[in-house]
Every structure is written in C-alpha cells, then in structure tokens.
C-alpha cells in the first residue's frame, strides 16, 4: 500500500497505539479494546462455518450474546463468504432472508424458482436480497481475484439461528434429499432406489465406520471438503449465459441486484463519499426494513460527528485503516450485570449515566455497531471503505453535529444557544461557521496541525493527544 | 371404512409398525415417536379446557414449551371445538384473534357488533376470522352430525395465553358481569341489584360452601356444566334467520366466511387436491399474515417432497391415516440443551448438523409442524384429509423437489448438476423426467412395486423397507 | 373545590375507604390496593429522573417488571414532565419515539431538523409525536401555571429503556459532544480545542475531585441542576416567533400537534365526554399503532361498563377523584408464580380462572392499565379527567355492556338470551332498556338512591354497599 506523504508519520506513530487503541479521556478509566468496547467486534470474533482450499464462510458472533445492549439485534446475523477464482458455492437454501453485498471480486449468482432461474453478474457494491428458502448458487467468475460477499441474515424460524439445506451430497456431507426414506424417494422419482442413490446421492452406507467418524470430526471443525468446489472456465461460460447485471439506471427492482454506487452519493466531497439505499428507495429492502450503505473516507479524512435517528447500523471495515469514536453512556456495558441484581436501581441509571467515549482502531474485517441516537465519527488513516447494514431503517434521519450543511446544532434558537452552551450565541455561531466542509472534512486541518505540533511536540497525531 | 383392494395388505402389515412408526434409516439412531420427534403432537398432547355431555374444547400444548425450535410459534395456540347436534356454545369473547376452520358438521356462527349482528351458516371447509374481543356464539345446527371446528388463536395480551370472558352465568361458572360491584351494576342498568341478579346473574351467594367447593373442583377438571348447552330445533330455526353462507364466488370478504374448497385447488390430480387461501387472496388473513390450506391425499398416494420457503405450517390430520417424513438436522431437538451449556459451540452446529429424518404415522387428531425450509412428504394409507394454518405466510413459495412441474431441481444449470450430484447431468435429467406426475403421485408405483416385491419378499409396503 | 350538594355525604363517607379502597366482593379475598392490584400504579411508583427548583421528570415503573401480565407492554414507558413558569427544558434527543400530551399549562415545543426547525404553541389536550432521535426543547411560556406533559416512550434500542443525549453541558452534567476526543472535535469544528471547550463545553477537568464526586452523587439522586433552566420573558418571546398552534380543523397532520378536544367527542352527554384520536384518524399514530384519548367524567357520574376489543389502554388520572373497577380472572396476578413452578398446570388455569374484581380509588397522578378484553367501569366522586394511551390500537372497538346505544348485549338473539341468562328473554330485554343513557350515566340514579338509602341505612354510597 502506498502511504501518502503527510500520513507516513501518522502510520508509524499509529503503531504505538495498536496495543491500547480503545481509550477514554484521561478522567475516565481505560478500557481494553475488544473486551470492554461492546460496540466493536474484532475480526477474530467469528466462527468458521466452512473452510476448504477453495474458500470459507465466517459467521460473526451473535450480537445479543455479546452484550445485552444488542437485544434488538437478536434476529440478525452477519456472514462473510470468501472464495478463490473459478470456484462455485453449490446449491443450497437457508431458513433466513439474506441481503448480499459484494465486497470485492466478480460473481455469478443463480437464483432458482419453480419455473425458471435467474443469473446475475455481480461486482463490488452489488447488493441483492435472497429471500428465505431460495435455492441459489454463487460462482467466482474471475480469473484472479478472490470473491468476498457480506451477508446479513434474518432467520425466519429460530431467532438468530440459520439452518442451511444442501442439495448436493458429497464425500463429507449429505444432501437433504438423503433425509427421505427409500420408499418416499422411489415413489417421488418413480425410480429404483439404486438409481436414485447412484445419480443424486452419495453412497455413505458403504463407507467403513472409521471414515464416517473422521468425516464427523472434520465437519465439526468446519472442514467439509465439497461445499465450495472448482469450476472450469467453460462451465463459468455456461453459467454466464443470459446473466443480467445490476441495473445502471434504477435501484428499485423487486428482485434484481442494485449497485450501491449507481446512484449519486448522498454526501460527497473531496474527503469522502457516502452511498446509501434505503427501504424507501428499493422494494427489496422494504419488508425487512433494512438500509445498505457504503462509505469511502479518504486517507486523512473524517466522517463528521453525526447520529442516526432510529436505525442501528452494523458496519464492516472492508479496506483501509481508521478509527471510530462512538459516544454512549458510562454504564452502557455494565448495565446488564446490575439489571439482574438490582432491577429497581438499574432504571435510575437511564438518564444519570455519564457520557462515555467508545473508541477503537479499525482494520479490514472489523465490525462495529452504531445504535440509534449514538453520536459517532470515523477517521481514516488510509483510504477506508466501509459497508453498513441498517436495521429499523424506515424514516431514519442522519443528524450531523458539525459541518456547514445539515448541521442540526445550527438550527437552535439564539436564546437557547445562550442557555445551553457556556459561550454566547454569537460565539457559538462563529464556532459553528468555522467548518466550511459538510459531512466529510480534513481529519487534521493543516493550519492547526502545524500550530498544535509546535505546542504538543512529538505526539501530535490523529490518534494521539490524550 | 371400506379399504380398497390393493391396500388391504398394506393396512394389515401397517399394524406391525404401529408400535414404532417413527424411525430413521438404519444408520441413524431410532427415536421414540412422540418423545423424540418434536415436530409431532399426538392427539393426547392436549388439555381439556371444558367438557360436558354436549361437547368439549381441547387446547394443544404450547408449541414453544414443547421445543425451543418453535420459539417463533410462541404466540400461536391451536384449539379444537367439538359439539353434539342441537347444542350451542354460549356467548363469550376472548383476548385473542381466532381463525376458525370447520372440519365437519354444520354450524351457525353469530358475531355481535355494538349495532348489529351477523349470522353465518358454516360447513366443512368454511373459514372465518373472529377478531379479538368479538362476542360470538356457535350452534351445531345439524340433526345428526357432530360439529368439529379447529381454531388458531393469536393472543393480544400475554403471548401464548388465551383468556375467555363468559357473558352467561350458570350453575358452575360466573358471568364476567358478576365481576362488577352492586353499585356499578345498579347504576349501569339503572335497576335494583336484586333484579339484575335475578335476570342476568346466577345467585351463587346463596349456595352452601360445599357446593361451591365442588364447583371449583369440577372447574379445575374442565367439567363446567353449562358452557355448551342443548338448543331446540325451533331455537336453531330462529338463529338461522338471515344467516349468510360462505360466498361461492369470492374468497375475499373482509368479514364473511370463505370456503377453502370454493376456489380451484392450487394443485390437483387423481392422487390428491391442495386448496389454499393466502393473505394475498383474503383480507381477513392479511394483518395476521396467516394462510389456511386443506389437503386431500387419496389412499395410496403421496404428496411429493417439497418445502415452504418462509411459512411454518401447523397441520392437523382430520380424517384418514398416513405418514409424514420431514427432513431436518440431527441436532435440531437436542440443540436446546447445548445452547444453555455451551453457547459458543452451539453456534458451530448450525451448518454442521447432519441431515435427519423425522417420521411419524398420522391418525385423526394428530398435529404436526413443518418449519420453513424443511423438506416434507406425506403419504396416505387411507384417504387422508389435512387442514393447515401457515404462519409468516406472505410471499411464501412452495418448492417441489420431485415431479414434472414446479420442480425446482430441474432448474439447475447442467454444469452445476454435474458438480452437485454424483451422476452426470444427463443421468440427473433422465431421473428427474421419470416422474410424470406433479405435486401428488402414486405412493407405490405399480411396476416397481411388483419388482421390489420380488426382490424384498414380504415386507414391501409403503411403511416398510428399512 | 366546591362539592355539589348530593355528593357531599359521599365524599365524607369516601374517607372510610381510603385505607382499603381496592376490594373484592365479600366472597372473595380482600386485596391490598397497590400490592395486589397489578392493574394500578399509584403515583409513588415512579422514579425521579431529574429534579431541581424549576421542575422534574418522573418515570413510571416498567409495566413488565410490575407483573408478567404486562409482557406486551415491555417496550412502553410512561414519563411525566413538570416545570415552573418561564423555564425551558434544554435541547436533547432520545433513543425512543415519544407521544407527548399536554395535561395542563402552556408550552412552546421546538423540534429541530437538519435544515430547519418548527416551533409549536401547545396547550392542554395538544398531542404530538416526537420521533426517536429528534433534538427538541420545551419551554413553559406561561406566567403563572406549571406545565405538565405526559409522554409515552417507545424505545428503539433496548426494550423498555430510554437513553437521553443532552446537547448542553453544564455544571452537573456533560454534553454528549464532550464524549468526542479533542482531535475529533478540533477537526470537526475546524477550531482549537480551547475555543470549543470555552464555547460549547463545560470545563469539568478543572474541577477539584471532591466537587466531581459531589456531582456524581447528586446525579444518582436525579438532582442535576441545569437540565431545566429559567428563561426570560424576552427569550420566550423570541421562541414564540413563527410558532404554530395545533390545527383547529383537522387532526391529520404528519408532524404538527393535534388537540384531543378539537374533534367532536366520540361519546358525550351531560355526564361526560370521551375524546379519542386513533391511528386511522392521524398519520402520526399509525406506525406506532397508538391511540390517545381524554375522558371527562363529571362529578357523580359513571363511564359505563365496556371493554376494548384489542387495545390495552394506559390511563393516567390527571385531575379529580374517582374509582375504577376492572374485571379479570382470579389468578391473573398469581399466575406468574405458578408458571415457573408447574408449567403444565398453568395452562389449565386459562379458562378455569374465576371472575375477579380489581377495584381502586383514583387520585391525580395514579395510573391504571386496562388490558384488551377486560371489562371496566370508572366513576367520578369529583370531576375526573383521564388521559389514556392505547397500545395495539388499530381496529380497536369499544363494546359497551350497558346503556341504550352501542350495547353489545342487546344484540344477542332472543333464544340465546334465554339460554345464557337466568331470566327470560323478555325480562332481559326489559332490564336492558331501563338505562336510557349511553356511554356515561348517573353513578347513583336519584330514584333508586332514595329507595336504597331507606333500605340500607347509612352505608349507601357509591363506594359502599359490600
């Protein structure tokens, strides 16, 4: 990665903070990044559902098991699918609705219906809903690049639990067809069981016991061999026939993919771009009440402090490095303990909780959650690319707390500014007008940087200064 | 019941399997039918809410208390109402929405509104929503046949709990009117309490203590005497005046009953018929997001393997005998134990659970639940009549896994068939085309039956062969 | 308060019942008013979230922590806001939707949006939805009268928990802006931290430790000093500019306040008035599925027995005194114990629970909950003013059990009246027609009062007679 000149020092200094990059201001107790910051899910908080030489599937820890503050996320799971060039994820269906977002690479997704099938060419930014129960398969059609797909799963049976039904049997797994008895299969296919077994099912019965034991052990370790398999260039060619691409014009199809970048960004300047598809804009997202967004923050830039009025956003860091700061209450995380012990008292904490900063460095694969109402800001130490799924998305508004446009603070009546802030209304207005940028800004404005470097000496960096 | 010739032997042999009719193939551990098959609720898993010589009301065990896999069914309860000819179920209201489906017999249902009332003649297949809080009474208007009505209840107060408010006081129960104080009753009816008591309430106060104790004991055993009472032919006549029947033309009234059989079946051939009313077709089912269906499987026939994409179906066997096979995962039932002990590990089971067959014989009164995404097949050893309520019904699709039409497997790309199945694409296609029927088929195709009888000797039956 | 002649005696006698004003008829066990009547929340069942010389905020106990019968109310909280003349509640936002109803006084509510602001003059009966995340401030614009506002809060993050984010820092609390690090704040406002701190934040860092400890202690006692502050007449004037009043014509604006009294009452006579805005009438209430009503019961009058078909109503006694009677089942309150111990048995109680009267005197500030389906009547010993929020409001119907109009009992078929009640159909009809009033009636009709006084001697009162 080419680190641009003014940030080289930052990157070097950044190393200092790797060990304790979550922190609070000096008058608050320090917190261990991953243990104590419940809004952060480092990339190791995943479980490998499947892994072989062709790819893997990771499932993020349940939000509601991590912390009680995510009770409202109990029926949402985040998965990441990763596969090598010229491979295919074999047909299956799940008891969950999926929202797929392609993070990188090139795919062909085929979706089966009782009477037809639809194939779609997907690339970075393409997003599509896969309704629960849909049989689908996904090929990496590129010659070189890995395919990475992020999935938000919303289970329809048990809250927070996804079950997959694999159509294909193989050495290490059974097709769900093999769950039916011989008699049902013979009557269903109007054929002898021997033929059905030979053509559709693997013949596990003939395996010696020790091999089946081995298979069971492997399965428990997520090492099933044949869920993601190699596929030839010719076979890819055949899948590509009639495959449609995401519409370049509209993001409003009932079933076709839409690209997050096809519409104009809702916020954009030289420091970053913010793309977002809301339920109001796309019918696929309406019944699930989900929004999807993609945010590019340029190296050395800042997504200005803001909060979402009603949506909770699950954000995945896809590329680049940076830092987020989220403002909550002091006892947000410990509250759950108290709740069980002394329920009456707990209620008293609701308003009296002091303001608390939750801060963490971001690396690719990290996930963080921004609950509704909680102010947040994100800075990039190298070009940062984030993809977010928003829950409870309808009528969500993003209120910015700084910047020239859409700054909700500037709307306050003058006398209330006087009463609310220590400065005079005039001072407040002058301060608010100092920032000429909107939405995104320079994370370390030049003039002040120089000045502050003089003042503070060697630790001046966007991660330092506390 | 007249058993048709080719199935007489099957029926006799069937007896052999009565004792252990839930089973798994030889390489899986056997399971005790009712204990181990969480999807089956034998007809004894009910509680008698009320019983006298005129009829009874049964309430099925809570789905979510039976197994954690039915967490999403916690606010649904299934009731069966049964009454003798010329009886009436006295006025009451409940804190639950009801979907009523008449299983057999002939009824007059009267629904009260503040300013009018509506009476409906109901018969087999008639279905109607009774909104929460509606005061209603239900008469068996037939001279000979018992009335059987299946109710799906969706409580509005406490999840999974239905409270009834009886308007009529009688020897063994109190009218809810008696819950008001004398003063309120006197002011409300602008009458002396003595008159109100004489005309509207039973005079329990005058009963000696031992009689009230007896009444309490009886009530706890569900033996209240006067909830279902005799009604004369003349009285039935008066109730019938202006009673409407279910519309023969449309199934889309806001408040009138619709008959499941009035519309053309969605699947039909000589082996069976499948009737279904979805929320999209009927406004009464829309806000509750429920579908109702009725399935007739002819003796010796099979409803082909299929799954519902997002609906969970609660199926009641009304008449006839048969068997269902449902494909789930090995640990579906035990998962709940593990969940509490070792939460982290539990998540790992989601995908690695092996395929498991859940199989059970069906007799009238049995209930089974088909969760979304789970493949199922049902065979009939005598003409089988099933009625189902589907939860989460909107946009549900039924994907068939065998049969000529609507077979989702036949939509798979040829190269993916090669990769997914052990046979060649050609072999797979040939096998899929062997079944000329769709949706329903012969449970034991003639030609193969003869052949297999030769091979396997005397145990060839649709319940045997394992 | 001027007590009208015929009720003076009642008031005197009423005192007798203050100590045990919840009771059941003689053949039922007495219940301690507050402990045993789960439907009643006396005005002391609140927690003080904030209090200073300018006003306070009270939060009612969680419904679902009080009793399991309110499981369906777990995501609803009731708050009351009270402030002195010429004060303002400083800008903040919450992670909850609010429905505000002004109980008394005159307010200016300002609601901020990213690009504009709206101010509204509010007075008694004005109601408005404040969507989650909206920054707002509320001034008492009156010279003399206290401002009282009732809030129903529906949290969007954690069920039943409301978090407030205060924009203004002050001596005893921190602005949420202070949760961001210096670097983020400097980059966001393009200004030095010193200026930001001086103009927007309080400088807590400079406080000695013992003062911060004191502040923490005070905060835990809800005694933050500066959430509600004095505001001058001139400042009020400035806030009033362009402030709109609730529309006098329609109650159907998307965002403007509506007055409960602007529409004709849905029930009205000389004994009382019943105003109600349902989700069908007002778009602000639609997505939350809430109704709001205001009931005036004149001294010595009775709101006739009725029940709500599907809504649960949370009623606050605002002014006056009275009594409510609610009819439930005997074990409604104890059920929860049993549930955990003997789950199977608990189900058996559902229908067999005997009728139970829950009765309580009402004073200003008391709250009672009327679950769906439960019959209720309310009498007034002095002019009683109630404000109610209804949950699950869409398609709710109110069924009256007495009175001339909308009396659901009068709709029963004659032969069913015979079967259901001890009296003949003729007697039942004659009794039902005795009450010429509808909805509201005299709580102690004159003619019978005289007669009953003769009969019963000195204990005849609307609270006596048992």
């Amino acid at each position: 990665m080419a680190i641009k000149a003014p940030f080289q020092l930052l990157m070097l200094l950044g190393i200092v903070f790797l060990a304790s990059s979550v922190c609070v201001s000096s008058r608050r107790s320090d917190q261990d990044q991953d243990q104590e910051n419940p809004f952060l899910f480092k990339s190791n908080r995943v479980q490998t559902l499947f892994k072989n030489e062709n790819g893997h599937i990771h499932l993020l820890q349940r939000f509601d098991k991590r912390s009680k503050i995510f009770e409202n996320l109990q029926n949402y799971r985040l998965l990441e699918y990763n596969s090598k060039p010229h491979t295919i994820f074999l047909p299956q269906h799940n008891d969950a609705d999926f929202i797929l977002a392609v993070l990188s690479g090139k795919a062909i997704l085929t979706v089966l219906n009782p009477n037809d099938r639809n194939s779609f060419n997907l690339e970075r930014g393409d997003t599509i809903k896969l309704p629960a129960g849909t049989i689908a398969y996904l090929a990496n059609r590129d010659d070189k690049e890995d395919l990475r797909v992020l999935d938000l799963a919303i289970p329809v049976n048990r809250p927070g639990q996804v079950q997959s039904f694999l159509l294909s049997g193989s050495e290490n797994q059974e097709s769900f067809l093999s769950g039916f008895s011989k008699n049902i299969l013979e009557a269903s296919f109007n054929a002898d069981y021997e033929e059905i077994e030979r053509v559709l099912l693997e013949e596990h019965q003939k395996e010696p016991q020790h091999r089946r034991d081995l298979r069971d052990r492997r399965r428990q370790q997520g090492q099933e061999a044949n869920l993601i398999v190699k596929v030839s260039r010719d076979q890819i060619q055949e899948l590509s026939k009639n495959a449609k691409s995401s519409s370049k014009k509209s993001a409003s199809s009932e079933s076709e993919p839409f690209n997050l970048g096809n519409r104009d960004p809702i916020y954009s300047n030289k420091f970053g771009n913010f793309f977002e598809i809301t339920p109001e804009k796309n019918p696929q997202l309406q019944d699930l009440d989900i929004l999807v967004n993609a945010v590019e923050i340029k190296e050395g830039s800042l997504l200005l402090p803001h909060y979402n009025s009603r949506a909770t956003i699950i954000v995945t860091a896809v590329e680049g490095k940076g830092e987020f700061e989220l403002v909550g209450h002091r006892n947000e995380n410990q509250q759950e303990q108290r709740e069980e012990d002394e329920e009456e008292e707990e209620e008293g904490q609701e308003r009296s909780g002091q303001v608390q900063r939750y801060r963490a460095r971001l690396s690719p694969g990290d996930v963080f959650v921004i609950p509704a109402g909680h102010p947040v800001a994100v800075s990039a130490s190298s070009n940062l690319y984030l993809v977010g799924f928003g829950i409870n998305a309808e009528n969500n508004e993003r209120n910015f707390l700084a910047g020239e446009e859409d700054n909700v603070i500037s709307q306050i009546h003058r006398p209330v500014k006087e009463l609310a802030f220590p400065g005079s209304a005039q001072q407040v207005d002058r301060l608010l007008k100092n920032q000429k940028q909107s939405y995104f800004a320079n994370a370390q404005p030049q003039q002040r940087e120089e000045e502050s470097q003089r003042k503070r000496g060697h630790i001046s960096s966007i991660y330092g200064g506390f």
Side-chain angles (χ1 to χ4, degrees), chain A:
Chain A
M1 193 192 321
I3 299 173
K4 289 179 189 164
F7 292 96
Q8 281 181 341
L9 180 63
L10 300 189
M11 290 307 294
L12 291 173
L13 290 167
I15 294 164
V16 178
F17 300 95
L18 279 175
S20 66
S21 56
V22 176
C23 54
V24 292
S25 77
S26 56
R27 63 204 157 97
R28 299 183 189 90
S29 66
D30 271 28
Q31 302 206 348
D32 177 58
Q33 173 147 354
D34 189 57
Q35 281 304 315
E36 299 295 325
N37 185 338
F39 302 98
L40 176 69
F41 293 74
K42 294 299 288 179
S43 53
N44 62 347
R45 284 196 174 261
V46 296
Q47 182 199 351
T48 300
L49 292 184
F50 171 80
K51 185 179 181 169
N52 70 4
E53 68 279 9
N54 300 316
H56 64 252
I57 303 167
H58 286 166
L59 174 68
L60 193 73
Q61 182 187 23
R62 284 182 71 146
F63 299 103
D64 59 325
K65 301 278 174 179
R66 175 72 190 277
S67 169
K68 280 196 178 171
I69 59 178
F70 299 125
E71 224 173 317
N72 59 339
L73 297 183
Q74 71 168 324
N75 202 29
Y76 299 90
R77 301 300 299 269
L78 195 69
L79 293 111
E80 197 189 317
Y81 171 79
N82 202 305
S83 70
K84 291 269 186 297
H86 284 206
T87 59
I88 189 166
F89 185 25
L90 289 174
Q92 62 161 327
H93 70 272
N94 294 281
D95 63 348
D97 289 305
F98 280 94
I99 310 268
L100 272 66
V102 177
L103 300 183
S104 63
K106 292 188 169 53
I108 306 170
L109 173 71
T110 301
V111 174
L112 302 186
N113 296 311
N115 291 308
D116 63 352
R117 68 180 176 223
N118 286 294
S119 291
F120 303 105
N121 287 319
L122 302 181
E123 52 185 52
R124 185 183 183 131
D126 276 334
T127 303
I128 186 170
K129 176 168 85 170
L130 202 59
T134 310
I135 296 185
Y137 39 92
L138 183 70
N140 180 342
R141 65 182 159 96
D142 201 69
D143 293 342
K144 291 177 188 163
E145 201 180 358
D146 278 10
L147 174 65
R148 288 170 62 200
V149 178
L150 197 65
D151 292 348
L152 183 73
I154 304 109
V156 297
N157 285 322
R158 302 186 66 175
Q161 296 195 31
V162 183
Q163 285 185 78
S164 294
F165 294 87
L166 310 172
L167 191 49
S168 55
S170 73
E171 196 190 335
N172 284 337
Q173 77 201 15
E174 290 169 295
S175 159
F176 66 75
L177 289 174
S178 71
F180 287 110
S181 66
K182 287 184 186 184
N183 301 75
I184 293 290
L185 288 173
E186 289 196 331
S188 297
F189 292 103
N190 192 24
D192 277 341
Y193 184 69
E194 286 71 21
E195 185 187 350
I196 297 167
E197 197 176 37
R198 198 175 58 240
V199 174
L200 292 183
L201 315 173
E202 274 300 308
E203 303 175 43
H204 289 298
Q205 283 87 338
K206 294 173 189 163
E207 284 184 293
Q209 182 63 40
H210 69 93
R211 248 190 90 181
R212 281 155 47 208
D213 290 348
L214 173 68
R215 201 179 62 234
D216 280 8
R217 219 171 314 125
R218 277 173 150 191
R219 186 179 290 113
Q220 278 160 23
Q221 296 160 3
Q223 299 177 336
E224 290 140 299
N226 289 2
L227 192 54
I228 306 175
V229 298
K230 293 271 181 219
V231 62
S232 73
R233 191 177 301 244
D234 284 356
Q235 287 173 322
I236 294 269
Q237 205 62 35
E238 199 166 337
L239 294 177
S240 299
K241 271 182 212 157
N242 305 317
K244 287 170 253 181
S245 295
S246 65
S247 168
K248 296 292 170 206
K249 287 179 208 155
S250 86
S252 62
S253 165
E254 287 281 353
S255 59
E256 295 185 16
F258 50 92
N259 194 290
L260 290 169
N262 276 358
R263 288 188 167 240
D264 287 337
I266 55 171
Y267 315 126
S268 177
N269 63 15
K270 65 177 176 174
F271 302 100
N273 291 295
F274 200 116
F275 301 91
E276 187 169 65
I277 308 285
T278 59
E280 290 87 351
K281 292 185 205 155
N282 187 283
Q284 291 178 55
L285 302 174
Q286 262 167 33
D287 57 339
L288 297 173
D289 198 10
I290 301 282
L291 64 78
V292 188
N293 62 34
V295 184
E296 296 167 359
I297 310 176
K298 300 286 165 60
E299 183 176 313
S301 302
L302 173 72
L303 172 60
L304 289 174
H306 66 276
Y307 66 90
N308 291 280
S309 69
R310 52 191 315 116
T312 291
I313 320 276
I314 301 164
V315 184
T316 300
V318 179
E319 286 169 10
K321 299 227 169 201
E323 196 185 48
F324 79 91
E325 285 194 7
L326 185 137
V327 180
H329 290 104
R330 181 177 286 193
N331 41 23
E332 204 137 6
N333 198 23
Q334 296 105 40
Q335 217 168 18
E336 55 207 85
Q337 302 306 329
R338 214 173 306 132
E339 224 162 273
E340 283 146 24
D341 304 342
E342 10 175 7
E343 284 188 358
E344 293 309 306
E345 268 206 345
E346 164 261 329
E347 299 192 11
Q349 306 305 327
E350 288 179 19
R351 244 163 230 265
S352 65
Q354 275 195 35
V355 164
Q356 167 98 27
R357 180 183 316 149
Y358 295 93
R359 185 174 176 175
R361 281 187 64 96
L362 295 173
S363 300
D366 291 346
V367 173
F368 63 102
V369 179
I370 312 168
H374 288 59
V376 69
V378 185
S379 61
S381 50
S382 67
N383 285 340
L384 187 62
Y385 181 58
L386 308 170
V387 169
F389 293 110
I391 311 304
N392 199 21
E394 208 185 324
N395 296 324
N396 180 56
E397 305 239 345
R398 207 169 274 105
N399 283 340
F400 279 85
L401 302 165
E404 193 180 35
E405 287 173 54
D406 285 357
N407 181 343
V408 70
I409 296 179
S410 66
Q411 301 301 330
I412 299 175
H413 280 94
R414 279 179 54 90
V416 181
K417 281 180 187 150
E418 301 266 5
L419 294 165
F421 299 116
S424 69
Q426 216 174 357
Q427 286 175 316
V428 171
D429 285 341
R430 204 168 45 216
L431 178 61
L432 293 180
K433 280 180 188 145
N434 221 34
Q435 176 57 274
K436 304 300 182 202
Q437 301 297 332
S438 304
Y439 317 117
F440 294 97
N442 192 337
Q444 196 174 29
Q446 210 61 29
Q447 66 279 23
R448 285 185 312 94
E449 186 188 4
E450 285 160 15
E451 179 198 14
S452 64
Q453 273 184 349
R454 250 185 302 115
K455 279 192 191 165
R456 291 179 210 153
H458 67 288
I459 63 156
S460 70
S461 86
I462 65 167
Y463 300 111
F466 44 82

